[in-house]
Amino acid sequence: MSITPQAASARNREICQLAPIIPVLVVHDVSHARPLAEALVRGGLPVLEVTLRTPVALDVIREMAKVEGGVVGAGTLVTPDDVAAAVNAGAQFGVSPGATDLLLDTCEDIGLPLLAGAASASEAMRLLERGYDMLKFFPAEASGGVPTLKAVGAPLPQISFCPTGGVSPSNAASYLSLPNVVCAGGSWVAPSDLVNSGQWGKIEALARAASQLGL
């Protein structure tokens, strides 16, 4: 079933409103998928972005999709093949570092809500022209961070963002304080050392702290 840009943005806005932080996850071991997802969901972060940067990423999505209360998406979507594979694995939304017409066409045709990336006013305006008003701002810090988003928000108040890339506990609250930011993406809630050592309680604690940001 296909999806319009407007419907995709509406769905992604609903997803982004579920928690202030979306964990950006790079998982190398499928056995970590379910306990990691369960820890993050228990900690109050139900939306999970699994990046397609490891050979087991699609299997990780399949496992995380089984976790009650979780909303699992696929990140780093770049090609039509990525989109098809993500949907087949059970991804409920997609995330891309940028946007191309081919990628947007594919997501719309296959019915996957895409959180498309923009790093400039022109990129954001082009996506808005197509019907997307809920975007990823990437790479956030390298693209000017909070001051840039604040400046873009003045002439383009109808566009909302999920900044990702360099967002950390030290600056997340500043991003979340902006009226055009719905949530932010961050990897600090699932550091590789804690994941690899199976310290799910500590990850749950990091998630719980992150879930309170911006309140």
Side-chain angles (χ1 to χ4, degrees), residues 119-144:
S120 69
S122 292
E123 292 173 357
M125 287 171 64
R126 181 177 175 278
L127 285 162
L128 179 65
E129 189 175 76
R130 183 160 176 148
Y132 290 90
D133 62 12
M134 180 70 227
L135 308 177
K136 173 180 178 177
F137 179 59
F138 178 84
E141 282 292 283
S143 300

Side-chain angles (χ1 to χ4, degrees), residues 2-27:
S2 62
I3 191 170
T4 66
Q6 293 81 4
S9 284
R11 176 55 183 150
N12 277 329
R13 189 181 298 274
E14 291 174 356
I15 291 171
C16 287
Q17 289 172 338
L18 292 175
I21 301 297
I22 296 178
V24 179
L25 307 171
V26 182
V27 184

Side-chain angles (χ1 to χ4, degrees), residues 6-205:
Q6 293 81 4
S9 284
R11 176 55 183 150
N12 277 329
R13 189 181 298 274
E14 291 174 356
I15 291 171
C16 287
Q17 289 172 338
L18 292 175
I21 301 297
I22 296 178
V24 179
L25 307 171
V26 182
V27 184
H28 297 272
D29 187 335
V30 178
S31 69
H32 294 153
R34 291 194 69 168
L36 173 58
E38 288 166 353
L40 292 167
V41 171
R42 282 197 307 269
L45 301 182
V47 183
L48 312 172
E49 177 189 338
V50 179
T51 61
L52 301 187
R53 300 181 195 174
T54 71
V56 299
L58 294 171
D59 290 327
V60 169
I61 290 173
R62 289 187 184 94
E63 288 301 307
M64 288 190 170
K66 301 173 184 176
V67 174
E68 185 176 356
V71 180
V72 185
T76 327
L77 298 183
V78 178
T79 68
D81 286 345
D82 291 338
V83 176
V87 170
N88 288 335
Q92 297 181 50
F93 67 98
V95 185
S96 175
T100 66
D101 287 332
L102 180 58
L103 187 67
L104 294 168
D105 288 342
T106 302
C107 287
E108 290 165 16
D109 289 344
I110 206 168
L112 183 70
L114 181 68
L115 189 63
S120 69
S122 292
E123 292 173 357
M125 287 171 64
R126 181 177 175 278
L127 285 162
L128 179 65
E129 189 175 76
R130 183 160 176 148
Y132 290 90
D133 62 12
M134 180 70 227
L135 308 177
K136 173 180 178 177
F137 179 59
F138 178 84
E141 282 292 283
S143 300
V146 172
T148 295
L149 270 180
K150 185 176 181 180
V152 167
L156 299 172
Q158 65 271 61
I159 303 178
S160 299
F161 294 93
C162 170
T164 306
V167 179
S168 68
S170 64
N171 61 22
S174 296
Y175 279 106
L176 294 169
S177 69
L178 299 176
N180 59 341
V181 169
V182 179
C183 68
S187 58
W188 80 87
V189 292
S192 58
D193 58 332
L194 296 185
V195 173
N196 292 334
S197 57
Q199 299 191 56
W200 312 123
K202 290 186 177 181
I203 289 174
E204 181 181 343

